[in-house]
Amino acid sequence: MTKAPTASDVARRAEVSRSAVSLVLGGNAKKARLSDETQERIRKAAKELNYRPNAAGRSLVRGRTETIGLVIRDLDLIGVDPFLLPLLKGILEATRDQGYRVLVESIREGSGDPFGDLMDSGRIDGMIVENPNYGDKSLRRLIKSGRPVVVMGSQGLKEEVSVRIDDFKIGFVATEHLISLGRRRIAHIAYAESGIYAVDLRFRGYVEAMRKAGLPIEPALVTHANFSMESGYAAMLDLLGATPLPDAIFATSDAVAMGAMAAVQDAGYLIPRDIAVASVDDISAARFFRPALTTVTSEPYASGKLAAEMLIELMSGQKPGNTSALVDTRLIVRGSSVEDYSDDLLQTAREIRATK
Amino acid sequence: MTKAPTASDVARRAEVSRSAVSLVLGGNAKKARLSDETQERIRKAAKELNYRPNAAGRSLVRGRTETIGLVIRDLDLIGVDPFLLPLLKGILEATRDQGYRVLVESIREGSGDPFGDLMDSGRIDGMIVENPNYGDKSLRRLIKSGRPVVVMGSQGLKEEVSVRIDDFKIGFVATEHLISLGRRRIAHIAYAESGIYAVDLRFRGYVEAMRKAGLPIEPALVTHANFSMESGYAAMLDLLGATPLPDAIFATSDAVAMGAMAAVQDAGYLIPRDIAVASVDDISAARFFRPALTTVTSEPYASGKLAAEMLIELMSGQKPGNTSALVDTRLIVRGSSVEDYSDDLLQTAREIRATK
DNA sequence: TTGTAGGCGTTATCAA
DNA sequence: TTGATAACGCCTACAA
């Protein structure tokens, strides 16, 4: 393992100047019109030496790193948040053809100015922030500074650029669906404590749907879990203690709903006959639970893709057309709310087999 | 937004030399014994200016980036591979206190020398490769070059440093478990086509357990899926066409098993009475399916942590004690194989409620 | 105990 | 059409 070859090495071998090498290999070959013959010689030399431009040197002089950060608030969520993987996929897909890399960072809470530190570390040109605490000081300051930041969800700042889903509508639609099935005692399990913007909006959607139907909100039927399926199970145990029982559950994440459904079934009740369940996300397992899970999509993949595209716009200096993109969601009705549900799994399976 | 402050700015403000700033802020304050008073002045100035050392400059002169790469073979897997998130979590946890950042990269297949390109791009100091194709040219070359690389799984090279689980044992243990329950016609669904090292090892474990029990391998009962639950569903439809039916399934991932279980249930058979199921991974949903899934853990979190630790050792120039770590796995018996199963969910739930 | 100078690899500017 | 040269921001000998 000798030292990596530098542009000078290439230049020497090709018998040209360093600048020529830089022009040709930096993609500006057209701008500075070098003779084809020279260009060829340079490329050949580079290949022979196995030369790769050094990112640090380049970033130093260009003032850009071609890297974006994906910031995750809490490392503990990473193990359980099913949103994250498709989000990451969307981001990677949208960035990789633009030549950007993705740095994944978790932020420690309350330690100085973590968002500013990362932003100005010279490692990234911009960042996407997933699932931030509402009102985080460090993040607010960063957003107000006008740096390239895209927030998933909203921090309620006029300067922010955000990708959101309509969490109010999600809560409303899911609850309304349950009401339309004749359910009256509809319980609510949030996927986290109040304080996260999306959590509260979904709750308000739930409240509004209930209000519109003239149904009361019973405090004993409103509770929250903690991201995990386990905590959904635990929350459901609480609800199963209510008298009379709820006849439906609106859980704000599939994970929580799955935990809750297990608790319902373990207690000997039938879904959806005794208790109907609707939730949010449409993770891949939702379709394979039995009964399959009625859910409102949360579109993490589309959100990630969109966020990355907006960030790239932002980093190129343009103000993006809209500073707040709203990703559309939709209700998918399955067996956890409707008895006689059947989907096209067989059809899907046939297609899969056909392509095997 | 004016330009970011540099070490020179800090030096000027603190009325010292650039070197002094570098020494104090670079963490070498002890080595060069500057007066406490001076150090304090420098720190104060840095704080006032909101100075952050530029990573590019630092990495250029140090020859290190303090960043590692996590390489994922195929972007499409990212959406469905439940292994990935806990793996990432393990890596992030192990690296962040060592001051390392994590760059997530996906590699395009067959285009030049992607592994070498990334390794020598000057963006990372080392990499962890997840789920590589066995025998990938570019990866093999990189490993042989002796650069700091940790492979998840194995490429069968003597130079490699790898973190593995005992895939043969996994296949053996799961199959043996089904046999011990009196099952005889045990089908096998691999989570991907033959050609991935782990896939074939698990199959060989299955074969060995069958052989040891004196059971024949029926080609009609051996098939494979394609990572997704959908494909597990499709594969199971094939198996349901066998006569007589299999009385057990060994699926090599929970995702595939979940799809298969849905197909079994949709066909009107009971699990485990008619068909017992065992698989691999223990993703969080495994415990909440009904029946809950019997599975052999694949320990992605522990693997990620270990891989990161080994990589850090490697990057510091030491040869790690063992170049091939084997992560222990264990069989978790649940309701998909044993009728009268019950677990401690209630207890867990109580604990969760107690800490709420 | 402090300051100076040189260089890391790249690119952009400007002269030739 | 090409080639010096001067940054970019940082660190580390080494000199003072």
Side-chain angles (χ1 to χ4, degrees), chain A residues 286-339:
Chain A
R287 196 177 176 199
F288 293 91
F289 253 60
R290 289 295 174 270
L293 197 42
T294 290
T295 192
V296 184
T297 63
S298 60
E299 306 294 344
Y301 171 75
S303 300
K305 205 155 183 173
L306 193 55
E309 286 163 2
M310 289 170 76
L311 182 59
I312 288 172
E313 252 189 286
L314 225 49
M315 291 185 304
S316 76
Q318 317 156 27
K319 271 288 160 213
N322 54 348
T323 58
S324 178
L326 197 66
V327 176
D328 208 24
T329 65
R330 65 187 207 285
L331 174 73
I332 301 178
V333 178
R334 299 203 182 98
S336 71
S337 67
V338 176
E339 195 79 55

Side-chain angles (χ1 to χ4, degrees), chain B residues 202-213:
Chain B
R202 289 177 192 181
F203 173 65
R204 281 170 47 197
Y206 158 80
V207 169
E208 175 59 18
M210 295 292 275
R211 194 200 56 74
K212 199 178 150 202

Side-chain angles (χ1 to χ4, degrees), chain B residues 257-332:
Chain B
M258 286 174 181
M261 282 170 70
V264 170
Q265 291 173 327
D266 289 355
Y269 298 105
L270 283 180
I271 299 171
R273 196 195 63 187
D274 303 320
I275 297 179
V277 178
S279 64
V280 185
D281 276 344
D282 193 33
I283 65 177
S284 51
R287 195 177 176 198
F288 293 91
F289 253 61
R290 289 296 172 267
L293 196 43
T294 290
T295 193
V296 183
T297 62
S298 60
E299 306 294 343
Y301 171 75
S303 300
K305 206 155 181 174
L306 192 55
E309 287 163 1
M310 288 169 76
L311 182 59
I312 288 173
E313 251 189 286
L314 226 47
M315 292 184 303
S316 74
Q318 316 155 29
K319 272 286 161 213
N322 54 347
T323 58
S324 178
L326 197 67
V327 176
D328 207 25
T329 65
R330 66 186 206 285
L331 174 73
I332 300 179

Side-chain angles (χ1 to χ4, degrees), chain A residues 56-332:
Chain A
R58 175 174 285 178
S59 122
L60 198 53
V61 60
R62 289 210 211 185
R64 289 178 293 119
T65 61
E66 324 264 61
T67 303
I68 70 165
L70 168 61
V71 179
I72 294 145
R73 181 168 57 94
D74 186 348
L75 208 46
D76 286 337
L77 296 186
I78 216 185
V80 295
D81 184 357
F83 196 84
L84 210 51
L85 217 43
L87 178 82
L88 180 60
K89 184 185 177 192
I91 293 172
L92 285 173
E93 280 193 9
T95 50
R96 77 151 157 196
D97 290 325
Q98 309 288 329
Y100 282 93
R101 303 297 184 301
V102 177
L103 194 70
V104 177
E105 277 272 329
S106 67
I107 291 285
R108 299 158 220 257
E109 306 246 297
S111 57
D113 184 12
F115 287 96
D117 287 345
L118 176 59
M119 187 78 236
D120 292 334
S121 68
R123 295 175 176 282
I124 62 171
D125 299 335
M127 63 168 81
I128 295 173
V129 184
E130 148 72 346
N131 199 15
N133 265 333
Y134 191 76
D136 181 280
K137 283 266 173 50
S138 172
L139 178 57
R140 288 178 75 92
R141 195 186 325 168
L142 180 63
I143 290 173
K144 290 192 174 180
S145 80
R147 318 298 298 278
V149 178
V150 174
V151 185
M152 310 303 299
S154 175
Q155 288 282 305
L157 299 174
K158 64 175 189 305
E159 298 92 341
E160 82 187 6
V161 174
S162 60
V163 172
R164 297 178 303 114
I165 51 178
D166 192 337
D167 287 296
F168 178 87
K169 182 178 152 198
I170 283 176
F172 185 86
V173 165
T175 309
E176 196 178 43
H177 167 67
L178 293 169
I179 294 171
S180 78
L181 299 170
R183 309 288 168 159
R184 290 297 171 263
R185 293 181 53 74
I186 300 170
H188 173 69
I189 313 179
Y191 67 86
E193 282 186 69
S194 173
I196 296 181
Y197 201 58
V199 169
D200 296 332
L201 279 180
R202 289 177 192 181
F203 173 65
R204 281 170 48 197
Y206 158 80
V207 169
E208 176 59 18
M210 294 293 275
R211 195 199 56 72
K212 199 177 150 202
L215 297 172
I217 304 291
E218 295 187 35
L221 295 188
V222 175
T223 180
H224 68 86
N226 201 9
F227 291 101
S228 69
M229 298 192 184
E230 278 80 2
S231 70
Y233 193 98
M236 191 67 225
L237 287 188
D238 283 343
L239 294 174
L240 288 173
T243 328
L245 276 183
D247 57 12
I249 308 288
F250 163 47
T252 51
S253 89
D254 285 348
V256 165
M258 287 174 180
M261 282 170 70
V264 170
Q265 293 173 324
D266 289 355
Y269 297 106
L270 283 180
I271 300 170
R273 195 196 65 188
D274 303 319
I275 298 179
V277 178
S279 64
V280 185
D281 276 341
D282 194 34
I283 64 177
S284 51
R287 196 177 176 199
F288 293 91
F289 253 60
R290 289 295 174 270
L293 197 42
T294 290
T295 192
V296 184
T297 63
S298 60
E299 306 294 344
Y301 171 75
S303 300
K305 205 155 183 173
L306 193 55
E309 286 163 2
M310 289 170 76
L311 182 59
I312 288 172
E313 252 189 286
L314 225 49
M315 291 185 304
S316 76
Q318 317 156 27
K319 271 288 160 213
N322 54 348
T323 58
S324 178
L326 197 66
V327 176
D328 208 24
T329 65
R330 65 187 207 285
L331 174 73
I332 301 178

